């Protein structure tokens, strides 16, 4: 059964690992990769990625992408959202810290931040405005 607007926004705001999909061009399936993201109900969703990555180039070319998050416990539930890119801005240390703290235990944050700063290079934050939603909860709560 589809989720209500508030249920799907709340679910998307939880720290699930997302599958990001973006068109990879003619005669290709979409590029689909796991990614961390940030979202607050009613707002734009954003992701951080390396500025020169294939993902960033494809999103820039397509001007839109899709994100899907799911869980299997206590019920099978998913939310998929697709929409236009509203802006791409340089990633900041504050954004990196925010998304890292969303996903990692406090004792692992500083080590990951050190790794990301040293190994991932310049980051961009790509913001998506949710336009089209799909959702379902397939079991009793």
């Amino acid at each position: 059964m589809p989720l209500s607007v508030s249920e799907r926004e709340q679910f998307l705001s939880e720290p699930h690992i997302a599958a990001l999909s973006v068109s990879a061009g003619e005669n290709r399936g979409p590029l689909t990769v796991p990614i961390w993201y940030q979202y607050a109900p009613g707002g734009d969703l954003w992701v951080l990625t390396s500025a020169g990555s294939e993902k960033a180039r494809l999103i820039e070319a397509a001007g839109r992408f899709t994100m899907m998050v799911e869980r299997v416990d206590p019920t099978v539930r998913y939310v998929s959202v697709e929409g236009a890119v509203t802006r791409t801005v340089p990633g900041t240390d504050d954004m990196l810290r925010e998304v890292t703290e969303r996903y990692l235990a406090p004792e692992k944050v500083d080590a990951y931040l050190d790794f990301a700063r040293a190994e991932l290079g310049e980051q961009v934050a790509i913001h998506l405005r949710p336009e089209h939603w799909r959702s379902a909860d397939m079991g009793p709560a």
Side-chain angles (χ1 to χ4, degrees), residues 36-38 46 48 93-106 108-113 116:
W36 292 351
Y37 67 96
Q38 184 60 287
W46 58 268
L48 279 178
D93 198 57
D94 287 343
M95 292 171 124
L96 179 60
R97 178 170 289 281
E98 179 180 341
V99 77
T100 301
E101 288 176 347
R102 174 175 163 88
Y103 285 95
L104 296 182
K108 295 184 178 188
V109 168
D110 288 336
Y112 181 81
L113 292 173

Side-chain angles (χ1 to χ4, degrees), residues 11-90:
F11 187 72
L12 190 61
S13 73
E14 297 168 1
H16 303 285
I17 303 296
L20 180 149
S21 291
V22 61
S23 174
E26 196 171 326
N27 299 317
R28 295 277 317 269
L31 171 73
T32 303
V33 294
I35 195 163
W36 292 351
Y37 67 96
Q38 184 60 287
Y39 174 75
D44 287 354
L45 174 151
W46 58 268
V47 298
L48 279 178
T49 190
S50 295
S53 68
E54 179 182 20
K55 172 175 47 238
R57 289 191 314 273
L58 291 172
I59 291 170
E60 181 179 358
R64 58 192 321 106
F65 62 96
T66 300
M67 299 274 292
M68 193 276 299
V69 297
E70 67 176 327
R71 71 165 194 219
V72 295
D73 187 36
T75 60
V76 175
R77 177 177 278 193
Y78 78 89
V79 168
S80 176
V81 62
E82 182 262 332
V85 172
T86 58
R87 63 192 167 116
T88 301
V89 298

